[in-house]
Each structure stands twice: as structure tokens, then as C-alpha cells.
Amino acid sequence: PVLLELLDGEVSVVTTQSAMVAIEHIARSLCLPTSEDKDTSVFFTALEKGTRILKQRAPDSMDDDVSTQVVCSVALCASTLVRVLKAKCLPLLKNLVGPLLESLASANTLLADSVSNQDMLKSCKMLQLSIIRTITAIADTLPQFLVPYLGQLLSPLGLPSPSLHLDEADQDENVKAAADRLEEILSKRTPARQLIPAVCKASVACRGKCAESSTLLTILKLSIQSSSRAELATLRSWVLKTVVSAYEYEGKEEEQQMLLAAANQMMLSLVLKLSEAQLRPLYSKLREWKSASGISNANSRRLAFWSLSSVLSKELRVIFLPCLSTVVTDAVEELELAVSTLRDLKESERTAGGKKKRRLTSTSDAKDSVDRSDSLRPLQPLLLCLEAALKADAHDGGNWVRVDDGQRFNSILEPLGKLLQCKIPVNFPVAAAHKPSKAAVLTPFQRVVQGVASEEDGNVVSCLTALASAAGNEQLWKPLNHLVLQACENETRSEVRKAGVKCLLSLIKTLGEEYMVLLPECLPILSELLEETDEEIAALAQECVSLGEDLLGESLQDSLR
């Protein structure tokens, strides 16, 4: 009671703060972790007085440092009192949550202003942390009563604000951790039937804002993970509409990749809640969306579809193969499109000046070059998707790729063999998600074809190796081996020869003794590669020979002469 009297009338800021801190400590010490069978009416009065102070101070919380400190103290005290009072604090919730969310929006806005002074930025972070803790307490204790405020909480200046989710180098770690905890508790405690529609509606206001949309997708993923299959049955349309909107984002490449990754993880969490029978129609809808005609963002849709397919293929393995069977024709067409586009780009360079670099002479030329390059972006996700599927098929016996007397195998092999010798332009849109620290010194051919530092992004050599592993017999290996040896014999481009011998080495390492039946036809080519002036190619050829000798248990030197 003495402390409550200090909150009445005109008192100093220090007195108000001290009283709030003391009340918070008393409440936490006496009533937590449980307040059952205890008279907590005095804490209701304390919270009521705190909301009155908020009403006075919150509108000016960012105008002066004094108001900021008072709001911080009230918010921190309120976070404990809410846990103590539980449902008893419901009459005060409106006067508590509204002002706090308004103050949070003001703090987030100010933090987005790079010209703000350091003292003000520090105060903003303190205010963020205090408010987030109070909202977390409400979400954990009274989740169903936070629903009316979800629209405000999930607005662009609320929880999705980038100022709450900056990298650790630019952000107070405590603020980021508190925001992450709020997302987790909000997703677990708020019923999916209430939270998911609210998040999906909020995503409309965040359209075109990458960071905010990514945060909403994360909340959506956490909510889906905490829900049952039955709860999600009526919510899939909400989720699908939201993820499609994210997939159609066409901003900077780095932003698109970030949003794409968040959307894929959210979709994976949904798929893991579905049965195989439910997955197929969902995947079919996405295929129809990807293949829609007369749209301006076809490249973005293709990229999103194959990127999601690669994630599902990697996580679901054999379970995903029936879905992939429905898009094998699409995959082959995508590979053939990449071959055709790369060939056209090569011809354009040749006609524009022989061996000289092409100079774009007009705006239309530049736009055409960008459009063609952009159309190649789905290639690496597709290669990664096929690689994961073929590895899963290999473990399952290889029946999927050998279907129809090997027709599926041959349809995939033909464009892959051509890609092994394609010329990759310098402006090829290499996947950005896993760029190595020395990416600047690697050519697109090294990344996309040879598979240097792109094991997690998709490349031709790894895909061919997985294809051979799934094929599992000499009859299908022969045409594949022939294409690899053709690359090894390329007379004009050493990078192609290197890709060929790297692929051959990968095949020998993966298939082992079984592949030795084809070694005799490889030896003449390896003999020539051993005399290469490029030391790396010669070393790879020697490794192939040495590995062959180990597997056969005999020397191959006489055969190489």
C-alpha cells in the first residue's frame, strides 16, 4: 500500500520507477511461480495505476527520455503482474496492450532512422525489450484474449519490424532473443484457427517488404508445427494464398532468396502435417500455378516451384517420388530450356564480335540479356531436386528412374550430358544461398557444372553421379559414360575436360567396383589426360587411375601406354 501511494499525485520520475521496480520484485518473490490461494488484489490496483501512467506517458514515449524510462518501468512491472493476476487482469488489458503497441511502433520507427543519436537508440532498445516481455507474458498467460490485438501486433511496425530482427552485429542480442521467444510463444499458445488467418491478413500489409514478410512466414511455420492435421484442414487455403504471394516477390536477388527460403520452410512444415494423399493435390495446384500462361512473372514462379521441390525432395526422399513423377516432363523441358538458352547466349556472343566480349548496343539488347539470364535461375534448384530424388531412388532400388525400360533415365540424361559441355555466361545467376567466401574467384561454370563449392545448391556433376547411382546397371551406365568421356575429350575448353574427369572420378568413387566394367573404354582418354598441361586435370586423371587400381587390385600402367 505504501508503494501504491507513491504512484498517486505528482512525484518524481525516480520515485515512480523505484515504486514500479519494488512492486515487481515483491510480486515475483511472493507469487511466482504460482499465485494460487493468495490474495493478489493489491497487485490489481498496482497494475491499474500502471495503466494510468501508461495512458499519460505512452504518447510521449519517444519525445523525451523521461517518458521512455517510465514506460519501460511500467512495462517490466506489468509483465510480472500479468503472470500473477492471470484472468483477473482482463478488465485492464485494453488500457495496457494498446498503449504498449503504439509505443513499440514508435520505437521501431525511430530505430529505422539511421540518423538517430546513440542515446536515443539505446532508449529505444530498452523500450522494445520491456514491451516485448509484457506482450510475451500476455501471450503465454492469456493467449485467447490477445487475439483482438493481433492485427496491430503483426503490422509492419509491430513484431515483424526489421528493427527487432537485425543481425547480431547490428542488434542488441537480448531484443532479438525476446522477439524470437514472443514469436514462439504466440505460435504455440494462440489457436491456429485464430493466429493463421491473422498472420495471412497481416502479410497483405507487408507485401513488398521482404524482412517483415519473412518474419510472418516464420510465425506461420511455428504455428503450423504446433497444430494438428485436423486443425490445419480448413486453413490450407489461407496458407497457400500467403505462400504464393511470397513466391511472386520480385525485389533484389538477396531479398528474394531470403523470402524464398522462409516460404519453403513454412511449406515444408505444412507438408509434414499432410498425408501422401493430401500432398499430391497440393503439389498439383502449385504445378498449375507455375505453368500458368500469359503471366509476367513466369521466371519467379518457376524458380519458386523448383526451389520448393528441391526442399521437399531432400526432406521427404522416397515419399516425394510419386509427386515428382507428375512433373518429370516439366523437369526435362526445364533442362532443355536451359540448354537452348545457353546455346542462344553463346551464339549471340559469337555474332556480336567473334571471340570478343559482346557489347550491348541498346536498351533492348540489355533487357533481352537480363531476361535470358533470369530464365536460367530455376536450373540449380532443379538439379538439386533431381539429385536428391535420384539418391533416394538409388537407396530404394532404382525402380523410379528405370521405369518404362529406361525411358525416364534417358530423357533426363540427354540434357544433362549437353549441360556438361555448355558454356556458362559470366552473368549466370548462380544460387546465392550458399556462396563461399571465395566466390569471386570461381566462375559460373565451376559452380554450376563442376560443382565447386555448390554441393548444397545443385550442379551437373553431382546430378549425373546420382543418376548413375540410381540406374544401377551397365546397360544404362554406357550412354552416361559415353557423354562423360566426350566431355573429357573436348579439344577447345579445358574447363569442360576438367568437368568430365571430375564427373568420372565421382562416378568411380560412388559406384566403386561395379563401375570397373566400363574402365577399359575410359583408359585411352585417361592416358591422354595424364599428359595434360593443366596440372589439376592431370592430377584428377591420375586419381581415377589410382582408384581403379585399388578397386581391381592390379596395376593399369601397361594399359595406359
Side-chain angles (χ1 to χ4, degrees), residues 214-457:
S214 295
T215 298
L216 289 175
L217 289 170
T218 299
I219 296 173
L220 208 53
K221 178 191 73 172
L222 294 172
S223 180
I224 291 170
Q225 290 175 342
S226 302
S227 305
S228 66
R229 182 181 296 178
E231 288 177 308
L232 295 172
T234 60
L235 299 171
R236 289 203 296 269
S237 59
W238 283 96
V239 174
L240 193 58
K241 184 177 179 180
T242 301
V243 79
V244 162
S245 177
Y247 282 151
E248 292 181 343
Y249 178 82
E250 291 189 306
K252 296 178 180 178
E253 183 180 349
E254 293 79 6
E255 293 180 346
Q256 188 177 21
Q257 290 290 347
M258 182 175 78
L259 198 57
L260 192 60
N264 286 341
Q265 289 304 309
M266 188 273 289
M267 282 299 293
L268 177 61
S269 67
L270 176 63
V271 166
L272 292 175
K273 294 287 184 176
L274 303 178
S275 65
E276 290 185 53
Q278 292 171 320
L279 172 59
R280 293 179 193 179
L282 175 63
Y283 192 68
S284 179
K285 284 183 180 179
L286 289 170
R287 182 197 182 192
E288 291 176 6
W289 166 78
K290 182 263 299 184
S291 304
S293 59
I295 54 174
S296 59
N297 59 350
N299 291 336
S300 294
R301 292 191 178 197
R302 288 166 42 234
L303 172 63
F305 180 80
W306 292 117
S307 178
L308 173 62
S309 297
S310 68
V311 171
L312 296 180
S313 183
K314 190 173 182 179
E315 294 295 328
L316 302 182
R317 300 178 64 79
V318 176
I319 296 174
F320 186 64
L321 291 180
C323 287
L324 197 58
S325 296
T326 65
V327 295
V328 169
T329 302
D330 295 19
V332 173
E333 289 177 355
E334 193 75 59
L335 293 173
E336 291 174 344
L337 175 64
V339 172
S340 174
T341 302
L342 291 169
R343 183 175 60 245
D344 291 344
L345 287 171
K346 181 180 179 181
E347 289 299 321
S348 297
E349 290 182 353
R350 183 178 301 171
T351 57
K355 295 182 180 180
K356 296 181 180 179
K357 291 184 179 179
R358 182 186 181 193
R359 295 183 179 180
L360 299 176
T361 57
S362 67
T363 304
S364 61
D365 289 336
K367 185 177 184 303
D368 180 61
S369 177
V370 171
D371 289 344
R372 289 185 178 183
S373 177
D374 196 48
S375 70
L376 293 169
R377 293 184 66 194
L379 177 58
Q380 279 189 279
L382 172 58
L383 291 171
L384 186 61
C385 172
L386 289 173
E387 180 188 346
L390 291 165
K391 285 181 177 179
D393 185 39
H395 285 288
D396 198 45
N399 294 322
W400 182 81
V401 78
R402 292 197 299 266
V403 73
D404 297 330
D405 294 326
Q407 289 185 24
R408 180 173 291 172
F409 172 89
N410 290 319
S411 65
I412 297 173
L413 174 62
E414 184 178 354
L416 283 179
K418 293 176 181 177
L419 285 171
L420 196 59
Q421 298 198 55
C422 272
K423 186 173 183 180
I424 310 295
V426 293
N427 64 340
F428 183 92
V430 176
H434 302 280
K435 282 187 178 179
S437 58
K438 297 183 179 180
V441 301
L442 295 177
T443 66
F445 188 90
Q446 288 175 299
R447 297 289 310 279
V448 178
V449 179
Q450 295 178 2
V452 180
S454 62
E455 295 83 358
E456 298 297 322
D457 296 311

Side-chain angles (χ1 to χ4, degrees), residues 522-536:
C522 301
L523 291 177
I525 310 299
L526 289 173
S527 180
E528 295 179 7
L529 293 177
L530 288 172
E531 300 177 1
E532 266 276 354
T533 55
D534 187 319
E535 293 183 1
E536 187 174 352

Side-chain angles (χ1 to χ4, degrees), residues 394 397-398 401-402 406 409-410 413 463-485 503-504 506-508 510-519 521-522:
V401 78
R402 292 197 299 266
F409 172 89
N410 290 319
L413 174 62
C463 195
L464 279 169
T465 303
L467 181 63
S469 182
N473 67 60
E474 180 185 351
Q475 184 180 357
L476 296 178
W477 287 339
K478 278 192 175 237
L480 187 151
N481 192 64
H482 178 67
L483 291 173
V484 172
L485 294 181
C503 189
L504 181 59
S506 178
L507 290 169
I508 295 174
T510 303
L511 301 174
E513 190 174 344
E514 294 180 14
Y515 201 72
M516 291 299 95
V517 67
L518 297 176
L519 187 61
E521 61 187 73
C522 301

Side-chain angles (χ1 to χ4, degrees), residues 477-495:
W477 287 339
K478 278 192 175 237
L480 187 151
N481 192 64
H482 178 67
L483 291 173
V484 172
L485 294 181
Q486 280 186 330
C488 292
E489 289 184 300
N490 190 291
E491 296 180 354
T492 58
R493 294 168 57 205
S494 63
E495 62 178 1

